[in-house]
Amino acid sequence: MLKGYDPVAYFTDGKPVAGRPDIKADHQGVTYRFASEDHRRLFIANTAKYVPQYGGFCANGMVYAIPIGGEPENFKIIDGRLFVFGGIRPRLYFEMDQERNIKLADYYWETEASDADWRWQSLKRVWITKVPHYKTNKELAEEYERRTEKSLR
């Protein structure tokens, strides 16, 4: 999980810190690595606080019920929750309407993605049935540029 980064470090250090292969813990079938034994103990004592949202998939992808890869270097802690993004653009798009996007992502994670095979879930929501509010990357980029008057090109 998190490509080996320490989930506790996001909260204590404010940045991704590589975990050590010899300091680890398993949670819900996933292995987490830690930079220190103290971080491992904190994690075990309160896993709900430290696990990334949406199984570590990109939070902006989950807004559209699409579990796509998250890059642990692109993250944000919001209201004590760790959100991971697939890159800087997905994070910027997510932040355009953060409150709404968290509600949508939480909904899709809980109602269809958390227990689904991520490959099937992605296929279903990309090619078969898009969510009603689906936007392409091009549409999101145009919206971002309109809202911020900043170019992403």
Side-chain angles (χ1 to χ4, degrees):
M1 178 57 75
L2 296 170
K3 296 187 178 178
Y5 286 107
D6 177 340
V8 176
Y10 290 95
F11 296 87
T12 60
D13 298 23
K15 63 182 180 180
V17 174
R20 293 177 30 186
D22 60 320
I23 305 175
K24 59 189 176 184
D26 290 332
H27 176 68
Q28 296 183 334
V30 179
T31 301
Y32 291 85
R33 293 183 178 179
F34 305 92
S36 70
E37 276 295 335
D38 285 340
H39 281 194
R40 183 179 172 282
R41 280 191 287 278
L42 286 168
F43 179 83
I44 290 169
N46 191 359
T47 54
K49 177 178 179 177
Y50 298 110
V51 295
Q53 301 303 296
Y54 320 126
F57 290 110
C58 175
N60 196 60
M62 198 52 58
V63 171
Y64 304 99
I66 303 170
I68 55 177
E71 295 297 325
E73 299 85 2
N74 294 293
F75 74 97
K76 185 174 184 179
I77 295 174
I78 305 166
D79 296 330
R81 297 168 66 190
L82 174 60
F83 294 84
V84 177
F85 301 91
I88 190 65
R89 284 183 182 207
R91 179 179 167 171
L92 293 173
Y93 301 155
F94 189 85
E95 291 172 336
M96 284 192 296
D97 197 346
Q98 185 171 282
E99 186 177 326
R100 172 187 170 268
N101 288 335
I102 288 172
K103 287 177 183 172
L104 285 167
D106 285 351
Y107 172 78
Y108 287 119
W109 179 251
E110 290 300 321
T111 61
E112 63 181 83
S114 67
D115 295 327
D117 173 87
W118 70 269
R119 290 172 191 89
W120 167 246
Q121 179 67 26
S122 295
L123 178 70
K124 176 178 84 170
R125 285 306 195 169
V126 170
W127 297 105
I128 300 170
T129 310
K130 290 180 174 42
V131 296
H133 55 276
Y134 181 83
K135 293 180 184 176
T136 65
N137 281 329
K138 181 181 179 193
E139 291 169 326
L140 287 167
E142 289 168 353
E143 181 179 346
Y144 178 83
E145 290 177 6
R146 275 192 314 275
R147 287 179 178 223
T148 65
E149 298 181 2
K150 294 178 186 174
S151 175
L152 290 172
R153 293 167 208 172

